[in-house]
C-alpha cells in the first residue's frame, strides 16, 4: 500500500490526480479554470508540467490555501497545518 505523503508546491497536477483520483473533483470544485482537466489531451500533456504552485497562480488562489485543500482531500490536512 502506498503511504500518503504531503502534497507540495512542486508536485505536478498529473502526479497528484494519478495518485489520488478524487483530487480531480476537488480541483474542479475549487475553480472553473481546472475544467481543463476534463480534456484528456491537456491532462496528459499540460498537467504533467504544471506544478501545484503554477496551478494556484492560474486559478488565482493562494498557494497555501490550495495546498491545504488538496492535502485535506487526501486526509492529510492536519499534517499540513503542523
Amino acid at each position: 500500500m502506498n503511504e500518503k505523503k504531503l502534497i507540495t508546491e512542486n508536485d505536478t497536477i498529473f502526479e497528484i490526480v494519478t495518485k489520488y483520483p478524487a483530487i480531480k473533483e476537488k480541483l474542479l470544485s475549487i475553480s472553473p479554470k481546472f475544467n481543463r482537466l476534463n480534456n484528456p489531451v491537456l491532462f496528459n500533456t499540460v498537467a504533467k508540467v504544471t506544478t501545484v504552485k503554477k496551478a494556484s497562480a492560474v486559478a488565482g488562489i493562494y498557494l497555501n490555501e490550495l495546498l491545504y485543500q488538496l492535502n485535506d482531500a487526501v486526509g492529510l490536512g492536519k499534517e499540513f497545518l503542523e
Side-chain angles (χ1 to χ4, degrees), residues 37-79:
L37 294 174
N38 289 322
N39 180 323
V41 173
L42 290 177
F43 177 71
N44 286 305
T45 55
V46 177
K48 287 184 177 181
V49 296
T50 302
T51 63
V52 173
K53 186 174 184 176
K54 286 183 194 172
S56 73
V58 167
I61 298 170
Y62 288 113
L63 176 59
N64 281 340
E65 175 63 22
L66 182 57
L67 283 169
Y68 172 74
Q69 289 204 34
L70 296 178
N71 280 293
D72 192 51
V74 298
L76 296 173
K78 183 180 177 192
E79 290 80 351

Side-chain angles (χ1 to χ4, degrees), residues 13 16-39 43 61 66 69-70 73-74:
I13 298 301
I16 62 173
V17 170
T18 301
K19 186 170 182 176
Y20 308 110
I23 287 285
K24 181 178 175 183
E25 290 305 314
K26 185 63 174 176
L27 287 166
L28 293 173
S29 74
I30 291 171
S31 171
K33 301 254 183 185
F34 293 125
N35 284 335
R36 298 173 189 162
L37 294 174
N38 289 322
N39 180 323
F43 177 71
I61 298 170
L66 182 57
Q69 289 204 34
L70 296 178
V74 298

